[in-house]
Amino acid sequence: MLHRKVFCCMTEEIRQWLAKSTDDIENAQFLFDNRWPQPFELICFLCQQCAEKSMKAFLIHCNVEFPYTHDLRWLYKLCMKHSGAFEPFLDACQVLTPYAIDAKYPNQLEVDLPAATYALANAREIFNTAVAAITDE
């Protein structure tokens, strides 16, 4: 997902956050494409993790301290103070946030194919937006 050319423009800490984020989205996509029945809760959990780590990488790039949180809405507000590029993702952050906790436990969420598809698309877009914002400066 990340090309070597992009990695060279980042600090080691940002590279590490984005590498973890890349692993999350690639594993979510692999499960979506190759497991049957599809583990929708796990896919959505990994998508939330991808979005969270991508946003935290951007905040590190901006020298912003962020709280220990899985709440993407909180991270969204911090990101928006530094780049309007994240504006389209408020709804996605609201939808993805519960997957950080609830998707890990039985009978907490009912996640279906449209929800997993939405999570994958939005996590990937948040990742791409964070990378673009980090590398465009």
Side-chain angles (χ1 to χ4, degrees), residues 35-91:
R35 281 280 302 272
W36 189 259
Q38 292 165 308
F40 295 131
E41 291 86 1
L42 179 55
I43 291 166
C44 290
F45 169 76
L46 290 168
C47 289
Q48 186 283 338
Q49 290 291 289
C50 171
E52 178 182 330
K53 292 167 190 166
S54 299
M55 294 167 82
K56 288 179 176 179
F58 172 72
L59 292 170
I60 292 166
H61 170 73
C62 296
N63 296 311
V64 174
E65 290 189 31
F66 48 85
Y68 179 79
T69 184
H70 299 298
D71 189 342
L72 299 182
R73 297 162 297 195
W74 184 269
L75 297 174
Y76 169 86
K77 290 176 188 175
L78 292 175
C79 288
M80 283 296 295
K81 290 180 181 179
H82 300 277
S83 175
F86 290 90
E87 186 173 2
F89 303 116
L90 178 59
D91 290 340

Coordinates of all heavy atoms in Angstrom, one line a residue, residues 35-91:
R35 N -12.2 -15.3 3.3 CA -12.8 -16.2 4.3 C -14.2 -16.3 4.1 O -14.9 -15.4 3.7 CB -12.6 -15.5 5.7 CG -11.2 -15.6 6.3 CD -11.0 -17.0 7.0 NE -11.9 -17.3 8.1 CZ -11.7 -16.9 9.4 NH1 -10.7 -16.2 9.7 NH2 -12.6 -17.3 10.2
W36 N -14.7 -17.5 4.3 CA -16.1 -17.8 4.3 C -16.5 -18.7 5.4 O -15.9 -19.7 5.6 CB -16.5 -18.4 3.0 CG -18.0 -18.5 2.8 CD1 -18.8 -19.5 3.0 CD2 -18.9 -17.4 2.5 NE1 -20.1 -19.2 2.9 CE2 -20.2 -17.9 2.5 CE3 -18.7 -16.1 2.2 CZ2 -21.3 -17.1 2.2 CZ3 -19.7 -15.3 1.9 CH2 -21.0 -15.8 1.9
P37 N -17.5 -18.3 6.2 CA -18.2 -17.1 6.1 C -17.3 -15.9 6.5 O -16.3 -16.1 7.3 CB -19.3 -17.2 7.1 CG -18.9 -18.2 8.1 CD -18.0 -19.1 7.4
Q38 N -17.6 -14.8 6.0 CA -16.8 -13.6 6.2 C -16.9 -13.1 7.7 O -18.0 -13.0 8.2 CB -17.2 -12.4 5.3 CG -16.8 -12.7 3.8 CD -17.5 -11.8 2.9 OE1 -18.7 -11.6 3.0 NE2 -16.8 -11.1 2.0
P39 N -15.8 -12.9 8.3 CA -15.8 -12.5 9.7 C -16.0 -10.9 9.8 O -15.1 -10.2 10.0 CB -14.5 -12.9 10.3 CG -13.6 -12.8 9.1 CD -14.4 -13.2 7.9
F40 N -17.3 -10.5 9.6 CA -17.5 -9.1 9.5 C -17.1 -8.3 10.7 O -16.6 -7.1 10.5 CB -19.0 -8.8 9.2 CG -19.5 -9.4 7.9 CD1 -20.7 -10.1 7.9 CD2 -18.8 -9.1 6.7 CE1 -21.1 -10.7 6.6 CE2 -19.3 -9.6 5.5 CZ -20.5 -10.4 5.5
E41 N -17.3 -8.8 11.9 CA -16.9 -8.0 13.1 C -15.4 -7.8 13.1 O -14.9 -6.7 13.4 CB -17.3 -8.8 14.3 CG -18.8 -8.8 14.5 CD -19.5 -10.0 13.8 OE1 -18.8 -10.8 13.2 OE2 -20.7 -10.0 13.9
L42 N -14.6 -8.8 12.7 CA -13.1 -8.7 12.7 C -12.7 -7.7 11.6 O -11.8 -6.9 11.8 CB -12.5 -10.1 12.5 CG -11.0 -10.1 12.5 CD1 -10.3 -9.4 13.7 CD2 -10.5 -11.5 12.3
I43 N -13.3 -7.8 10.4 CA -13.0 -6.9 9.3 C -13.3 -5.5 9.8 O -12.4 -4.6 9.6 CB -13.9 -7.3 8.1 CG1 -13.4 -8.6 7.5 CG2 -13.8 -6.2 7.0 CD1 -14.4 -9.2 6.5
C44 N -14.4 -5.2 10.4 CA -14.7 -3.9 10.8 C -13.8 -3.4 11.9 O -13.4 -2.2 12.0 CB -16.2 -3.8 11.3 SG -17.3 -3.9 9.9
F45 N -13.4 -4.3 12.8 CA -12.4 -4.0 13.9 C -11.1 -3.5 13.2 O -10.5 -2.5 13.6 CB -12.2 -5.1 14.8 CG -11.0 -5.0 15.7 CD1 -11.1 -4.1 16.8 CD2 -9.8 -5.6 15.5 CE1 -10.0 -4.0 17.7 CE2 -8.7 -5.5 16.3 CZ -8.8 -4.6 17.4
L46 N -10.6 -4.3 12.3 CA -9.3 -4.0 11.6 C -9.5 -2.6 10.8 O -8.5 -1.9 10.8 CB -8.9 -5.1 10.7 CG -8.5 -6.4 11.4 CD1 -8.4 -7.5 10.4 CD2 -7.1 -6.1 12.1
C47 N -10.6 -2.4 10.3 CA -10.8 -1.1 9.6 C -10.8 0.1 10.5 O -10.2 1.1 10.2 CB -12.1 -1.1 8.8 SG -12.1 -2.2 7.4
Q48 N -11.4 -0.1 11.7 CA -11.3 1.0 12.7 C -9.9 1.2 13.1 O -9.4 2.3 13.3 CB -12.2 0.6 13.9 CG -12.3 1.7 15.0 CD -11.0 1.8 15.9 OE1 -10.2 0.9 16.0 NE2 -10.9 3.0 16.4
Q49 N -9.1 0.1 13.3 CA -7.7 0.2 13.7 C -6.9 0.9 12.6 O -6.0 1.8 12.9 CB -7.1 -1.2 14.0 CG -7.7 -1.8 15.2 CD -7.2 -1.1 16.5 OE1 -6.0 -1.2 16.8 NE2 -8.1 -0.4 17.1
C50 N -7.1 0.6 11.4 CA -6.5 1.3 10.3 C -6.7 2.8 10.3 O -5.8 3.6 10.2 CB -6.9 0.7 8.9 SG -6.4 1.7 7.5
A51 N -8.0 3.2 10.5 CA -8.3 4.6 10.5 C -7.7 5.3 11.7 O -7.1 6.4 11.6 CB -9.8 4.8 10.5
E52 N -7.7 4.6 12.9 CA -7.2 5.2 14.1 C -5.7 5.4 13.9 O -5.1 6.5 14.2 CB -7.4 4.3 15.2 CG -6.8 4.7 16.6 CD -7.1 3.8 17.7 OE1 -8.1 3.0 17.7 OE2 -6.2 3.7 18.6
K53 N -4.9 4.4 13.5 CA -3.5 4.6 13.4 C -3.1 5.6 12.3 O -2.1 6.3 12.4 CB -2.9 3.2 13.1 CG -3.0 2.3 14.3 CD -2.7 0.8 14.0 CE -3.1 -0.1 15.1 NZ -3.1 -1.5 14.7
S54 N -3.9 5.6 11.2 CA -3.6 6.6 10.1 C -3.7 8.0 10.7 O -2.9 8.9 10.4 CB -4.5 6.4 9.0 OG -4.4 5.1 8.4
M55 N -4.8 8.3 11.4 CA -5.0 9.6 11.9 C -4.0 10.0 13.0 O -3.5 11.1 13.0 CB -6.5 9.7 12.5 CG -7.5 9.6 11.4 SD -9.2 9.3 12.1 CE -9.6 11.0 12.5
K56 N -3.6 9.0 13.8 CA -2.5 9.2 14.8 C -1.2 9.5 14.1 O -0.4 10.4 14.6 CB -2.4 8.1 15.8 CG -3.6 8.1 16.7 CD -3.6 6.9 17.7 CE -4.7 7.0 18.7 NZ -4.7 5.8 19.6
A57 N -0.9 8.9 13.0 CA 0.3 9.2 12.2 C 0.3 10.6 11.7 O 1.3 11.3 11.8 CB 0.5 8.2 11.1
F58 N -0.9 11.0 11.2 CA -1.0 12.4 10.8 C -0.8 13.4 12.0 O -0.1 14.4 11.8 CB -2.4 12.7 10.1 CG -2.6 14.1 9.8 CD1 -1.9 14.7 8.8 CD2 -3.5 14.8 10.6 CE1 -2.1 16.1 8.5 CE2 -3.7 16.2 10.3 CZ -3.0 16.8 9.3
L59 N -1.4 13.1 13.1 CA -1.2 14.0 14.3 C 0.2 14.0 14.7 O 0.7 15.1 15.1 CB -2.2 13.5 15.4 CG -3.6 13.7 15.1 CD1 -4.5 13.0 16.1 CD2 -4.0 15.2 15.0
I60 N 0.9 12.9 14.7 CA 2.4 12.9 15.0 C 3.1 13.8 14.1 O 4.0 14.6 14.4 CB 2.9 11.5 15.0 CG1 2.3 10.7 16.2 CG2 4.5 11.5 15.1 CD1 2.5 9.2 16.1
H61 N 2.8 13.7 12.8 CA 3.4 14.6 11.8 C 3.2 16.0 12.1 O 4.1 16.9 11.9 CB 2.8 14.2 10.4 CG 3.2 15.2 9.3 ND1 4.4 15.2 8.8 CD2 2.4 16.1 8.7 CE1 4.5 16.1 7.8 NE2 3.3 16.7 7.8
C62 N 2.0 16.4 12.6 CA 1.7 17.7 13.0 C 2.2 18.1 14.4 O 1.9 19.2 14.9 CB 0.2 18.0 12.9 SG -0.5 17.8 11.3
N63 N 2.9 17.2 15.0 CA 3.4 17.5 16.4 C 2.3 17.7 17.4 O 2.4 18.6 18.3 CB 4.4 18.6 16.4 CG 5.7 18.3 15.7 OD1 6.3 17.2 15.8 ND2 6.1 19.2 14.8
V64 N 1.2 17.0 17.2 CA 0.1 17.1 18.1 C 0.0 15.9 19.1 O 0.1 14.8 18.6 CB -1.3 17.1 17.3 CG1 -2.5 17.1 18.2 CG2 -1.3 18.3 16.4
E65 N 0.0 16.2 20.3 CA -0.2 15.1 21.3 C -1.7 14.7 21.3 O -2.5 15.6 21.3 CB 0.2 15.6 22.7 CG 1.7 15.7 22.8 CD 2.2 16.0 24.2 OE1 1.5 15.4 25.2 OE2 3.2 16.7 24.4
F66 N -1.9 13.4 21.3 CA -3.3 13.0 21.3 C -3.5 12.0 22.5 O -2.6 11.4 23.0 CB -3.6 12.2 20.0 CG -2.6 11.2 19.6 CD1 -2.6 9.9 20.0 CD2 -1.6 11.6 18.7 CE1 -1.7 9.0 19.7 CE2 -0.6 10.6 18.3 CZ -0.7 9.4 18.8
P67 N -4.8 12.0 22.9 CA -5.0 11.1 24.1 C -5.0 9.6 23.7 O -5.2 9.3 22.5 CB -6.5 11.5 24.5 CG -7.1 12.0 23.2 CD -5.9 12.6 22.4
Y68 N -4.8 8.8 24.6 CA -5.0 7.3 24.4 C -6.4 7.1 24.3 O -7.2 7.1 25.2 CB -4.4 6.6 25.6 CG -4.5 5.1 25.4 CD1 -3.6 4.4 24.6 CD2 -5.6 4.4 26.0 CE1 -3.8 3.0 24.4 CE2 -5.7 3.0 25.9 CZ -4.8 2.3 25.1 OH -5.0 1.0 24.9
T69 N -6.9 6.9 23.0 CA -8.3 6.7 22.7 C -8.5 5.9 21.5 O -7.6 6.0 20.6 CB -9.0 8.1 22.6 OG1 -10.4 7.9 22.4 CG2 -8.5 8.9 21.4
H70 N -9.6 5.3 21.4 CA -10.0 4.6 20.2 C -11.1 5.4 19.5 O -11.7 5.0 18.5 CB -10.5 3.2 20.4 CG -9.4 2.3 21.0 ND1 -8.3 2.0 20.4 CD2 -9.4 1.7 22.2 CE1 -7.5 1.2 21.2 NE2 -8.2 1.0 22.3
D71 N -11.5 6.5 20.1 CA -12.6 7.3 19.6 C -12.2 8.1 18.3 O -11.5 9.2 18.5 CB -13.1 8.2 20.7 CG -14.4 9.0 20.3 OD1 -14.7 9.0 19.1 OD2 -15.1 9.4 21.2
L72 N -12.6 7.7 17.2 CA -12.2 8.4 16.0 C -12.8 9.7 15.8 O -12.2 10.6 15.2 CB -12.6 7.5 14.7 CG -12.0 6.1 14.6 CD1 -12.4 5.4 13.4 CD2 -10.4 6.2 14.7
R73 N -13.9 10.0 16.5 CA -14.5 11.3 16.5 C -13.6 12.3 17.2 O -13.4 13.5 16.7 CB -15.9 11.3 17.1 CG -16.9 10.4 16.4 CD -18.0 10.0 17.2 NE -17.6 9.2 18.4 CZ -18.4 8.5 19.1 NH1 -19.7 8.5 18.9 NH2 -17.9 7.8 20.1
W74 N -13.0 11.9 18.2 CA -12.0 12.8 18.9 C -10.8 13.1 18.1 O -10.4 14.2 17.9 CB -11.6 12.1 20.3 CG -10.7 13.0 21.1 CD1 -9.3 13.0 21.1 CD2 -11.1 13.9 22.1 NE1 -8.9 13.9 22.0 CE2 -10.0 14.5 22.6 CE3 -12.4 14.4 22.5 CZ2 -10.0 15.5 23.6 CZ3 -12.4 15.3 23.5 CH2 -11.2 15.9 24.0
L75 N -10.3 12.0 17.5 CA -9.1 12.2 16.6 C -9.5 13.0 15.4 O -8.6 13.8 14.9 CB -8.6 10.8 16.2 CG -8.0 9.9 17.3 CD1 -7.7 8.5 16.8 CD2 -6.9 10.6 18.0
Y76 N -10.7 12.8 14.9 CA -11.2 13.6 13.7 C -11.1 15.1 14.1 O -10.6 15.9 13.3 CB -12.6 13.2 13.4 CG -13.3 14.1 12.4 CD1 -13.2 13.9 11.1 CD2 -14.1 15.1 12.9 CE1 -13.8 14.7 10.2 CE2 -14.8 16.0 12.0 CZ -14.6 15.8 10.6 OH -15.3 16.6 9.7
K77 N -11.6 15.5 15.2 CA -11.6 16.9 15.6 C -10.1 17.4 15.7 O -9.9 18.6 15.2 CB -12.2 17.1 17.0 CG -13.7 16.9 17.0 CD -14.3 17.0 18.3 CE -15.8 16.6 18.3 NZ -16.4 16.5 19.7
L78 N -9.2 16.6 16.2 CA -7.8 17.1 16.2 C -7.2 17.2 14.8 O -6.5 18.2 14.5 CB -7.0 16.1 17.1 CG -7.3 16.0 18.6 CD1 -6.5 14.9 19.2 CD2 -7.0 17.4 19.2
C79 N -7.5 16.2 14.0 CA -7.0 16.3 12.6 C -7.6 17.5 11.8 O -6.9 18.1 11.1 CB -7.4 15.0 11.8 SG -6.5 13.5 12.4
M80 N -8.8 17.8 12.1 CA -9.5 18.9 11.4 C -8.8 20.2 11.7 O -8.9 21.2 10.9 CB -11.0 18.9 11.7 CG -11.8 17.9 10.9 SD -11.7 18.2 9.1 CE -12.6 19.8 9.0
K81 N -8.2 20.3 12.9 CA -7.5 21.6 13.3 C -6.3 21.8 12.4 O -5.8 23.0 12.4 CB -7.2 21.5 14.7 CG -8.3 21.6 15.7 CD -7.9 21.6 17.1 CE -9.1 21.6 18.1 NZ -8.7 21.6 19.5
H82 N -5.8 20.8 11.7 CA -4.6 20.9 11.0 C -4.8 20.6 9.5 O -3.9 21.0 8.7 CB -3.6 19.9 11.5 CG -3.3 20.2 13.0 ND1 -2.3 21.2 13.3 CD2 -3.8 19.8 14.1 CE1 -2.3 21.3 14.6 NE2 -3.2 20.4 15.1
S83 N -5.9 20.0 9.1 CA -6.2 19.8 7.7 C -7.7 19.6 7.4 O -8.2 18.7 8.0 CB -5.4 18.6 7.2 OG -5.7 18.3 5.8
G84 N -8.2 20.4 6.5 CA -9.6 20.2 6.1 C -9.8 18.9 5.3 O -10.9 18.6 5.0
A85 N -8.7 18.3 4.9 CA -8.8 17.1 4.1 C -9.6 16.0 4.7 O -10.2 15.1 4.1 CB -7.4 16.6 3.7
F86 N -9.7 16.0 6.1 CA -10.4 15.0 6.8 C -11.9 15.2 6.9 O -12.6 14.4 7.4 CB -9.8 14.8 8.2 CG -8.4 14.2 8.2 CD1 -7.3 15.0 8.1 CD2 -8.3 12.8 8.2 CE1 -6.0 14.4 8.1 CE2 -7.0 12.3 8.2 CZ -5.9 13.1 8.1
E87 N -12.3 16.4 6.4 CA -13.7 16.8 6.6 C -14.8 15.7 6.1 O -15.8 15.5 6.8 CB -14.0 18.1 5.9 CG -15.4 18.6 6.2 CD -15.6 20.0 5.6 OE1 -14.7 20.6 5.0 OE2 -16.7 20.5 5.8
P88 N -14.5 15.1 5.0 CA -15.6 14.1 4.6 C -15.8 12.9 5.5 O -16.7 12.1 5.2 CB -15.0 13.6 3.2 CG -14.0 14.6 2.8 CD -13.5 15.2 4.0
F89 N -14.9 12.7 6.5 CA -14.9 11.5 7.3 C -15.6 11.5 8.6 O -15.6 10.6 9.4 CB -13.5 11.0 7.4 CG -12.8 10.8 6.1 CD1 -11.7 11.6 5.8 CD2 -13.3 9.9 5.2 CE1 -11.1 11.4 4.6 CE2 -12.7 9.7 4.0 CZ -11.5 10.5 3.7
L90 N -16.4 12.6 8.9 CA -17.1 12.7 10.2 C -18.0 11.5 10.4 O -18.0 10.8 11.4 CB -17.8 14.0 10.4 CG -18.6 14.1 11.7 CD1 -17.7 14.0 12.9 CD2 -19.3 15.4 11.7
D91 N -18.9 11.2 9.4 CA -19.8 10.1 9.5 C -19.1 8.8 9.6 O -19.5 7.9 10.4 CB -20.8 10.1 8.3 CG -21.8 11.3 8.3 OD1 -22.0 11.9 9.4 OD2 -22.3 11.6 7.2

